[in-house]
Amino acid sequence: MSTDLSRVADPGSIKLYTTEPDHHDPITLRSIGFWLYMMSDIMIFAGLFAAHGVYGDAYGTSKITAAQVIDPISALFPTLFLFSSVLFFGLAGVALKNNDRKEVLRWMTAAFVVGLVFVLQEIWEFVKLAQEGAVPQASAFLSDFWTIVWAHGLHVIVGLIWMAVVLIQVLRDGFTEAVVGRFLNLRIFWFFQAVVWVFVYTFVYLMGVS
Amino acid sequence: MAHHQSSPIDHPEIQSASTLQYVSAFVLGLALMIVSCIITLGGGLSQSSTLTWIGILALIAVVGQLYLLFKLDLSKTMIWHTVSAVLTIPLVFISIVVTMWMFQYLEMRVMVGGS
């Protein structure tokens, strides 16, 4: 307390700002940088959802309606797979906090496998749709439906490739600053896929049959 | 916050990982999606009130996930993540709502599209 008072007494010692650049650690910088990328990535989905708001019931000459191609109950399975994968990756983050490499690898593998199940299930679902004639070129609604679901699906595929790479790096290099930074950015990316899926499930799947 | 970490694992964003919060995010997200599904298929509500309710539930799920998964708060570690996320919300809102409004109005004025 007394030192504070003496500082106030001498206005010359008060520092309002530093003249030297602030040296943040690389992990913090990479995290905020990747977060800003994620914010712009969200704008891609904003554009797609805007298109969905316009073309949601634009069937044109096609006889295929949203209610025919969308089954919200079976779409609960990809929801379960994706949320589980996000949970497992989160648990890998908890293991990283505890510096337990074996557990990190175990949970990351679990997250990868369940994420892969999500993608394979989605491919299977859309192959069936294509066989029934519900192809993207059939109507504006179907173009929109395929584009939104696969814009998200493509994100998940990229996330899986990234996860495989980080898995190998954790195995090979351990928890170096570079690997931990990549793990943190992948965690941001992967968690975001669950957030986007909430909108996809609600505004594409559920809204399509309401 | 120390600027020079002894180990990358000591980084506050790594240390913020929490089993309880991740499990809560999982349960919250899944439960709300199931409730939304029941509301939609139950058919007891009109289309507009169904959309309002599933919209509100989706919003709760997303806010819950943003807090529980990303730990968005006003702490020194997360303040700029939070600020940039909050500033992105009006951009998303403007993109979606204004686009939809514009096309709906356009359709009304030019009388094309039918439906």
Side-chain angles (χ1 to χ4, degrees), chain B residues 6-28:
Chain B
S6 50
S7 154
I9 290 167
D10 296 333
H11 192 275
E13 282 177 62
I14 296 295
Q15 289 301 315
S16 72
S18 142
T19 304
L20 180 69
Q21 283 189 288
Y22 295 152
V23 171
S24 309
F26 173 80
V27 172
L28 179 79

Side-chain angles (χ1 to χ4, degrees), chain A residues 38-53:
Chain A
M38 245 17 258
M39 293 298 105
S40 60
D41 197 42
I42 286 294
M43 294 312 294
I44 296 175
F45 285 102
L48 290 173
F49 280 109
H52 182 67

Side-chain angles (χ1 to χ4, degrees), chain A residues 5-201:
Chain A
L5 280 174
S6 68
R7 268 198 206 151
V8 173
D10 175 16
S13 71
I14 296 172
K15 249 173 98 177
L16 293 176
Y17 54 87
T18 60
T19 51
E20 295 296 312
D22 208 356
H23 291 289
H24 286 291
D25 59 290
I27 292 178
T28 303
L29 280 177
R30 288 172 65 178
S31 166
I32 187 70
F34 190 74
W35 179 262
L36 293 177
Y37 161 73
M38 245 17 258
M39 293 298 105
S40 60
D41 197 42
I42 286 294
M43 294 312 294
I44 296 175
F45 285 102
L48 290 173
F49 280 109
H52 182 67
V54 176
Y55 296 126
D57 54 1
Y59 303 127
T61 54
S62 167
K63 287 185 174 59
I64 301 166
T65 62
Q68 284 172 304
V69 293
I70 289 169
D71 178 8
I73 295 177
S74 68
L76 279 173
F77 288 102
T79 309
L80 175 69
F81 297 144
L82 191 65
F83 286 6
S84 305
S85 182
V86 162
L87 172 65
F88 294 160
F89 200 85
L91 295 176
V94 174
L96 177 65
K97 172 185 169 182
N98 299 330
N99 201 0
D100 186 341
R101 187 161 19 162
K102 230 172 161 179
E103 281 287 288
V104 170
L105 291 170
R106 193 175 298 161
W107 285 117
M108 273 182 84
T109 309
F112 180 88
V113 170
V114 181
L116 193 64
V117 170
F118 172 85
V119 172
L120 292 176
Q121 199 264 350
E122 220 161 54
I123 290 173
W124 179 66
E125 189 191 319
F126 276 76
V127 165
K128 270 199 309 182
L129 286 183
Q131 283 167 350
E132 289 162 15
V135 284
Q137 59 268 36
S139 69
F141 158 73
L142 282 166
S143 309
D144 160 79
F145 180 60
W146 279 72
T147 309
I148 287 196
V149 174
W150 282 104
H152 179 267
L154 198 65
H155 276 79
V156 175
I157 291 169
V158 169
L160 286 174
I161 295 169
W162 190 358
M163 206 181 287
V165 170
V166 173
L167 207 95
I168 292 165
Q169 290 179 341
V170 169
L171 201 66
R172 191 188 62 192
D173 305 333
F175 300 139
T176 61
E177 189 178 78
V179 171
V180 170
R182 282 171 208 144
F183 181 95
L184 202 59
N185 286 356
L186 174 58
R187 191 171 77 182
I188 292 171
F189 186 78
W190 200 244
F191 283 1
F192 245 110
Q193 303 321 316
V195 175
V196 172
W197 183 260
V198 169
F199 287 119
V200 173
Y201 183 71

